[in-house]
């Protein structure tokens, strides 16, 4: 077993490798929206291990923009990472992805919610949900399973940066927590356990679904 992780910030990759403390992990710096970077990533995986069994496509960008003030720059940056990056990550990996493997696309419960000031972000996550359906059909002959994992409000640095001021951040966190039936934010470990389930043979008869890890918010 060997894990490859990738991201734009080298310091965050270094932190992850240090925390995991294993010689079975390789960090590759790169931008998922840059196809040349994706080519380099796939080349490294091919040269190092020659195959892939699991893909967790997790690249994402999220920022507020009220409808009526959305700029082309905001639209392009969000779609380039969230949609283009995910699509081409998976497509470029297909030649080294083995049959009967598992693809997990990291979506969001925003795929079926109308969140204020997140028009573009929500649209990108709805696109990812569609990707999972279509890829399930396109890859069925290879028995490759494709599922979407859709977290809700998860206690991460990204979530705690959602606001222009600290007061705005705190108000958003309070609003999101009160809306969740379980009355708390989720944790990264809770998302990770769902990813492991979808990646493993425990979910061998599951494909094309959207699994919500959001404390019940999308179900009420």
């Amino acid at each position: 077993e060997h894990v490859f992780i990738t991201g734009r910030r080298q310091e965050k990759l270094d932190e992850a490798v240090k925390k995991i403390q294993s010689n079975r992990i390789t960090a590759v710096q790169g931008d998922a929206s840059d196809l040349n970077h994706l080519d380099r990533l796939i080349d490294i995986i091919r040269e190092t291990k020659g195959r892939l069994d699991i893909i967790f496509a997790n690249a994402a960008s999220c920022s507020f923009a009220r409808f009526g003030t959305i700029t082309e720059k905001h639209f392009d940056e969000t779609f380039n990472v969230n949609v283009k990056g995910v699509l081409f990550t998976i497509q470029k990996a297909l030649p080294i992805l083995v049959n009967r493997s598992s693809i997990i696309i990291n979506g969001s419960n925003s795929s079926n919610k109308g969140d204020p000031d997140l028009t573009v972000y929500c649209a990108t996550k709805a696109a990812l949900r569609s990707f999972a359906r279509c890829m399930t059909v396109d890859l069925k002959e290879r028995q490759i399973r494709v599922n979407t994992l859709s977290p809700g409000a998860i206690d991460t640095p990204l979530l705690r940066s959602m606001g222009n001021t600290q007061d705005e951040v705190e108000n958003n966190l309070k609003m999101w927590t009160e809306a969740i039936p379980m009355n708390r934010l989720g944790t990264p470990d809770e998302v990770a356990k769902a990813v492991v389930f979808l990646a493993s043979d425990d979910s061998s008869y599951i494909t094309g679904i959207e699994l919500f890890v959001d404390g019940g918010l999308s179900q009420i």
Side-chain angles (χ1 to χ4, degrees):
E1 296 178 358
H2 197 91
V3 175
F4 294 86
I5 61 173
T6 186
R8 287 180 289 190
R9 292 175 291 177
Q10 185 65 53
E11 68 275 11
K12 293 298 181 182
L13 293 173
D14 293 341
E15 284 178 20
V17 170
K18 184 177 180 180
K19 184 175 182 179
I20 295 169
Q21 293 185 327
S22 171
N23 59 5
R24 297 188 299 179
I25 183 170
T26 299
V28 182
Q29 192 276 331
D31 183 343
S33 66
D34 187 321
L35 301 193
N36 291 323
H37 288 195
L38 293 178
D39 286 334
R40 176 173 170 268
L41 171 64
I42 300 303
D43 285 345
I44 290 172
I45 297 171
R46 181 186 290 109
E47 292 165 6
T48 306
K49 292 296 175 181
R51 60 180 280 172
L52 265 180
D53 298 273
I54 299 160
I55 297 174
F56 179 42
N58 187 37
S61 173
C62 181
S63 58
F64 290 120
R66 182 172 293 276
F67 187 60
T69 68
I70 295 168
T71 63
E72 184 177 12
K73 181 175 183 289
H74 171 78
F75 180 92
D76 287 345
E77 286 180 351
T78 309
F79 263 84
N80 281 346
V81 174
N82 295 9
V83 180
K84 175 185 171 184
V86 168
L87 174 68
F88 285 102
T89 295
I90 297 169
Q91 180 169 284
K92 287 178 178 294
L94 287 179
I96 60 172
L97 192 63
V98 300
N99 292 345
R100 302 181 64 84
S101 55
S102 177
I103 298 170
I104 303 106
I105 298 173
N106 199 43
S108 167
N109 65 354
S110 295
S111 64
N112 71 349
K113 306 288 283 187
D115 293 325
D117 302 335
L118 289 173
T119 300
V120 177
Y121 175 78
C122 290
T124 65
K125 294 303 182 176
L128 297 184
R129 176 65 185 103
S130 183
F131 280 173
R133 287 193 176 101
C134 296
M135 290 177 190
T136 294
V137 176
D138 286 341
L139 299 175
K140 67 179 182 179
E141 300 304 325
R142 295 183 57 189
Q143 299 183 49
I144 295 174
R145 298 185 297 109
V146 187
N147 293 293
T148 307
L149 175 71
S150 289
I154 306 299
D155 195 355
T156 63
L158 175 62
L159 191 75
R160 290 186 175 273
S161 69
M162 297 295 289
N164 294 317
T165 65
Q166 188 57 39
D167 284 345
E168 193 173 313
V169 169
E170 293 300 327
N171 287 336
N172 286 334
L173 293 174
K174 182 174 183 290
M175 175 185 67
W176 290 325
T177 301
E178 290 176 348
I180 296 167
M182 295 186 74
N183 201 38
R184 66 174 178 84
L185 301 177
T187 68
D189 277 352
E190 288 172 316
V191 176
K193 289 173 183 176
V195 174
V196 170
F197 167 69
L198 291 175
S200 73
D201 286 340
D202 289 343
S203 61
S204 58
Y205 198 53
I206 297 174
T207 191
I209 73 162
E210 182 170 22
L211 176 60
F212 290 98
V213 184
D214 67 351
L217 181 60
S218 299
Q219 311 308 315
I220 60 171

